[in-house]
């Protein structure tokens, strides 16, 4: 499979470090000059732009958090005059102020390049038909993959989310070959396509799925049901959107577009930088963006970085599949639980990843229920058969998590489907 920008995607490590250092020095000066909030942070820490001479000095810079951005909402971190900013995108946050990210023409160009790299890594090219059903509008998913697909020269279907009937009709009529959406929506589309007996009519060969956590088991399940190869893609609005990193044919993690975004892994408690291979919080520094170039932004996403050679030939550092977020980790009766662990158990026990975690607190003790949809085949099972399945799930979850949930099996299709990011947790605890 081809590269979109092979010279950077496969650059020698030393050349990449030099490029990063040069760009870092430039962007630190740009931010110091144009963003009073960050200049104050640097001054408070006693760091001057001149102290940052190469990537080795990155650790000297102060961190930025989502709270910093919210405190300076909306324009506080805009680093160019308004006359140069041409676009905003915004996070899907449901509480409080959203984060608004700004783009110059150049920022959009580099973002689209990153998405183009992802599409080519998934086997896309001029002859492909790319069906984008990430949301368009403030969410970055639709605009990002749409732009990347144009750059590659693929025919782009700007479907946006919703209206599953219409999605399937366009997918079959226009013979879409690459599907871009959240993994939960891909699973739902697969379910609907199979139910309608249309599996033979789809021409998909690949999917580019991201924006939410999904397990290896879910990947294999979607791949089998749609007959495609499924690629992970990662990104966040604050850093640009999808395409901060993308998976290649090796399917063992996502290559970070580190000529634009330098990743670090830190200990979320102490802020100390951790070596490759250690699990911690992912931090990004933007070295090319101009309108909203965040430096050392703490993503709250947990993963591991690896620089082992990759079979695809790219030398870009790889981040593992996300292992959770520092803030979506549930603490149930004192035990750390990630929704992705539950998904892994469900798929390995023959269920679909249609589930909801319901938490409450009764007499000062957490209650922990996992509602799981039966598949249509299981639904016709005997009552005894169903209760055996429930018990199997409880034991498998106990083995994975160290605590036992109450498992309630519910009718097929009774848990609301999401067209974007799935809502997995209902936490009624008043803590
Ligand atoms: O979700 C950007 C995106 C769009 C990525 C389409 C991939 C595809 P936000 O709405 O700002 O941006 O949410 C960012 O979503 O910090 C992660 O916690 C999570 N996330 C994104 N991609 C993945 C992934 C978009 N591949 C937040 N796996 C991030 C797991 C992901 N979680």
């Amino acid at each position: 499979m081809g590269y979109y920008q092979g010279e950077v995607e496969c650059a020698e490590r030393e050349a990449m470090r030099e490029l990063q250092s040069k760009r870092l020095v430039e962007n630190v000066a740009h931010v110091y000059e144009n963003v009073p909030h960050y200049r104050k942070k640097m001054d408070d820490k006693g760091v001057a732009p001149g102290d940052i001479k190469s990537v080795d000095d990155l650790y000297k810079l102060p961190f930025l958090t989502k709270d910093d951005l919210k405190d300076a909402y909306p324009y506080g971190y805009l680093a160019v005059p308004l006359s140069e900013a041409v676009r905003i995108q915004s996070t899907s946050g449901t509480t409080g102020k959203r984060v608004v990210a700004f783009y110059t023409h150049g920022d959009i160009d580099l973002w689209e390049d990153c998405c183009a790299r992802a599409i080519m890594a998934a086997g896309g090219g001029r002859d492909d038909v790319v069906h984008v059903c990430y949301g368009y509008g403030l969410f970055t998913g639709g605009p990002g993959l749409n732009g990347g697909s144009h750059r590659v020269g693929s025919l782009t279907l700007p479907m946006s989310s919703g209206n599953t009937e219409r999605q399937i009709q366009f997918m079959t009529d226009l013979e879409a070959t690459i599907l871009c959406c959240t993994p939960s929506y891909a699973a739902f589309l697969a379910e609907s396509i199979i139910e309608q007996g249309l599996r033979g009519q789809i021409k998909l060969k690949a999917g580019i799925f991201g924006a939410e956590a999904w397990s290896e088991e879910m990947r294999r399940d979607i791949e089998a049901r749609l007959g495609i190869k499924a690629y992970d893609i990662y990104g966040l609005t604050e850093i640009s959107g999808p395409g901060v990193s993308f998976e290649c044919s090796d399917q063992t993690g996502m290559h970070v577009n580190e000529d634009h975004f330098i990743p670090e892994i830190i200990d979320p408690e102490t802020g100390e930088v951790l070596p490759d291979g250690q699990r911690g919080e992912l931090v990004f520094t933007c070295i090319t963006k101009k309108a909203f170039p965040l430096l050392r932004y703490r993503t709250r996403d947990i993963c591991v970085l690896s620089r082992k050679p990759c079979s695809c030939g790219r030398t870009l550092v790889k981040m593992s599949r996300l292992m959770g977020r520092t803030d979506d980790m549930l603490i149930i009766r004192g035990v750390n639980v990630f929704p992705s662990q539950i998904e892994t158990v469900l798929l390995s026990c023959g269920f679909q990843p249609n589930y909801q975690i319901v938490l409450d607190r009764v007499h000062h003790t957490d209650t922990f229920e996992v509602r799981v949809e039966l598949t249509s085949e299981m639904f016709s099972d005997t009552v005894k058969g169903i209760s055996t399945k429930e018990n199997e799930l409880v034991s498998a979850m106990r083995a994975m998590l160290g605590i036992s949930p109450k498992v309630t099996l519910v009718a097929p299709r009774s848990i609301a489907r999401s067209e974007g990011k799935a809502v997995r947790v209902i936490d009624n605890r008043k803590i």
Side-chain angles (χ1 to χ4, degrees):
M1 288 191 198
Y3 310 113
Y4 181 67
Q5 290 168 321
E7 69 293 355
V8 260
E9 294 177 58
C10 307
E12 296 286 335
R13 290 282 347 145
E14 216 23 64
M16 177 59 76
R17 276 185 79 78
E18 264 178 44
L19 180 69
Q20 287 177 324
S21 294
K22 181 174 159 286
R23 290 178 167 179
L24 174 68
V25 169
E26 280 168 16
N27 242 18
V28 169
H30 168 62
V31 171
Y32 190 82
E33 206 160 295
N34 296 295
V35 183
H37 287 280
Y38 199 76
R39 185 189 314 144
K40 178 163 187 315
K41 272 183 173 283
M42 284 177 64
D43 290 346
D44 288 349
K45 210 172 174 230
V47 193
D51 297 331
I52 310 298
K53 298 192 173 64
S54 78
V55 281
D56 295 333
D57 299 318
L58 194 53
Y59 75 94
K60 296 178 182 164
L61 290 170
F63 290 119
L64 262 177
T65 64
K66 200 170 211 151
D67 287 338
D68 290 319
L69 302 183
K70 285 186 174 166
D71 291 346
Y73 174 88
Y75 285 120
Y77 277 85
L78 176 63
V80 294
L82 212 55
S83 55
E84 284 179 39
V86 296
R87 167 99 70 86
I88 68 151
Q89 301 289 159
S90 180
T91 52
S92 45
T94 45
T95 51
K97 286 178 186 161
R98 289 162 165 260
V99 170
V100 173
F102 302 89
Y103 303 74
T104 61
H105 278 299
D107 296 340
I108 294 175
D109 284 348
L110 72 88
W111 176 28
E112 292 184 352
D113 281 346
C114 291
C115 291
R117 291 180 193 175
I119 293 172
M120 284 200 62
R126 296 181 64 83
D127 298 330
D128 280 287
V129 178
V130 176
H131 182 119
V132 184
C133 42
Y134 286 114
Y136 281 62
L138 287 173
F139 182 53
T140 53
L145 271 306
N146 192 92
S149 171
H150 279 184
R151 283 193 177 233
V152 169
S154 308
L155 177 66
T156 312
L157 311 189
M159 299 299 300
S160 197
S161 55
N163 198 338
T164 301
E165 290 292 296
R166 190 180 60 189
Q167 301 279 1
I168 297 175
Q169 191 186 346
F170 272 81
M171 186 184 295
T172 48
D173 291 354
L174 285 134
E175 305 191 338
T177 53
I178 298 184
L179 174 64
C180 304
C181 60
T182 56
S184 51
Y185 193 56
F188 177 50
L189 276 172
E191 194 177 321
S192 309
I193 288 167
I194 292 167
E195 259 174 30
Q196 292 172 29
L198 295 172
R199 172 68 169 75
Q201 288 184 43
I202 60 163
K203 298 280 185 301
L204 292 176
K205 62 177 185 186
I208 303 179
F209 306 136
E212 63 181 4
W214 54 314
S215 58
E216 192 57 33
E217 289 76 8
M218 184 155 172
R219 185 214 302 267
R220 297 299 162 215
D221 183 67
I222 297 173
E223 288 189 333
R225 288 186 324 136
L226 288 175
I228 61 172
K229 193 154 174 168
Y231 297 84
D232 205 351
I233 183 166
Y234 168 86
L236 61 166
T237 314
E238 297 91 314
I239 302 301
S240 68
V244 170
S245 66
F246 62 96
E247 219 170 29
C248 63
S249 52
D250 207 65
Q251 292 184 312
T252 49
M254 294 171 277
H255 290 284
V256 179
N257 282 313
E258 55 177 326
D259 51 324
H260 297 299
F261 319 110
I262 304 180
E264 295 170 278
I265 295 287
I266 62 161
D267 177 329
E269 302 296 326
T270 63
E272 181 202 350
V273 179
L274 300 176
D276 287 352
Q278 277 201 34
R279 169 189 170 130
E281 180 180 346
L282 185 59
V283 172
F284 281 110
T285 295
C286 302
I287 51 174
T288 47
K289 279 170 59 180
K290 292 298 169 212
F292 201 62
L294 303 186
L295 305 180
R296 295 199 94 200
Y297 183 69
R298 293 182 62 158
T299 63
R300 302 192 188 176
D301 291 323
I302 301 167
C303 70
V304 169
L305 292 180
S306 158
R307 282 170 219 274
K308 291 201 188 108
C310 184
S311 66
C312 75
R314 288 179 184 80
T315 49
L316 298 171
V317 62
K318 277 202 288 200
M319 56 182 264
S320 64
R321 169 187 292 289
L322 287 202
M323 294 157 167
R325 284 178 59 79
T326 54
D327 56 358
D328 85 358
M329 182 180 77
L330 301 164
I331 304 183
I332 309 173
R333 290 177 222 140
V335 177
N336 298 348
V337 172
F338 287 101
S340 57
Q341 294 174 299
I342 291 178
E343 187 179 298
T344 298
V345 171
L346 293 182
L347 285 148
S348 64
C349 292
F351 287 81
Q352 289 302 310
N354 298 321
Y355 67 99
Q356 237 162 16
I357 301 166
V358 186
L359 302 172
D360 212 334
R361 185 157 284 181
V362 179
H363 305 306
H364 306 292
T365 305
D366 292 336
T367 59
F368 173 25
E369 180 187 4
V370 185
R371 292 183 191 150
V372 182
E373 262 184 26
L374 288 159
T375 61
S376 338
E377 304 83 68
M378 292 172 181
F379 198 47
S380 52
D381 213 345
T382 58
V383 175
K384 185 157 170 276
I386 289 180
S387 96
T388 310
K389 290 214 165 57
E390 243 165 27
N391 293 337
E392 271 171 23
L393 273 185
V394 173
S395 328
M397 286 195 198
R398 189 187 313 118
M400 169 70 95
L401 309 171
I403 52 169
S404 306
K406 170 176 185 257
V407 171
T408 310
L409 294 177
V410 298
R413 299 235 173 203
S414 57
I415 294 177
R417 296 293 190 272
S418 157
E419 288 155 1
K421 303 191 190 219
V423 179
R424 301 292 194 200
V425 182
I426 303 172
D427 195 342
N428 297 320
R429 295 177 295 183
K430 307 265 179 301
I431 302 176

